[in-house]
Amino acid sequence: MIIKSLLGGAGLVLMIGWFVWVIVPQDSCERIERSGSVIRGIGNVLRDTLEPRVSSDTKLDMLRWSIQAENSFKGFVANQFFNRMDCTKWHGRDEFRERLLELLEESAASQPGAIEQENGTKQEPEQQP
């Protein structure tokens, strides 16, 4: 019973803290960006936890799902609470792009034949005078 009360209280404190953190900025686009932090955090924890156990394709699928879920949630918040969808500055996108590039490089490195073939096609034949 005590553990249930402590977990409920901790959840309530975290939810209130997140709400305050989202409401603090004056700019509505920054508020919308901060609202997606929970979705981004859950996606990061899942990917980092499952990373050694899944294939590169699954990692890419998880990354795509995380980006889509975050953008959908931000769109919902923007439409419901701020009645705007014109925020073009999404701050968290750079982190996702970097992570996506890392995963793509890892998947390319795991296929050595594809890299050798790609390097072979990029080399131009030597011209003799």
Side-chain angles (χ1 to χ4, degrees):
M1 191 70 160
I2 293 175
I3 293 174
K4 184 178 178 182
S5 298
L6 289 175
L7 288 177
L12 182 63
V13 167
L14 287 173
M15 189 170 61
I16 290 172
W18 173 78
F19 182 74
V20 169
W21 185 68
V22 168
I23 295 299
V24 167
Q26 296 295 321
D27 183 32
S28 61
C29 288
E30 179 67 21
R31 289 179 180 175
I32 293 167
E33 174 61 33
R34 286 185 176 198
S35 70
S37 62
V38 171
I39 305 295
R40 187 181 319 122
I42 291 170
N44 289 341
V45 167
L46 283 175
R47 276 194 316 275
D48 292 341
T49 303
L50 298 174
E51 187 169 8
R53 296 173 185 88
V54 296
S55 68
S56 296
D57 292 336
T58 306
K59 291 177 195 175
L60 290 174
D61 289 340
M62 289 171 60
L63 188 60
R64 286 185 196 108
W65 176 85
S66 181
I67 290 170
Q68 290 172 351
E70 181 183 355
N71 286 338
S72 297
F73 185 74
K74 287 178 187 177
F76 171 77
V77 169
N79 193 25
Q80 291 297 315
F81 298 107
F82 299 104
N83 198 23
R84 63 184 296 176
M85 294 293 286
D86 61 345
C87 291
T88 57
K89 186 173 77 172
W90 300 108
H91 304 284
R93 298 289 298 223
D94 295 336
E95 176 188 343
F96 283 117
R97 287 184 189 136
E98 290 173 8
R99 185 71 175 143
L100 180 60
L101 289 176
E102 288 174 10
L103 290 172
L104 288 173
E105 289 172 1
E106 288 176 13
S107 67
S110 68
Q111 301 171 355
I115 293 173
E116 291 171 5
Q117 184 181 16
E118 182 180 353
N119 289 338
T121 58
K122 289 185 178 180
Q123 294 176 353
E124 295 179 10
E126 293 181 18
Q127 297 178 354
Q128 296 179 357

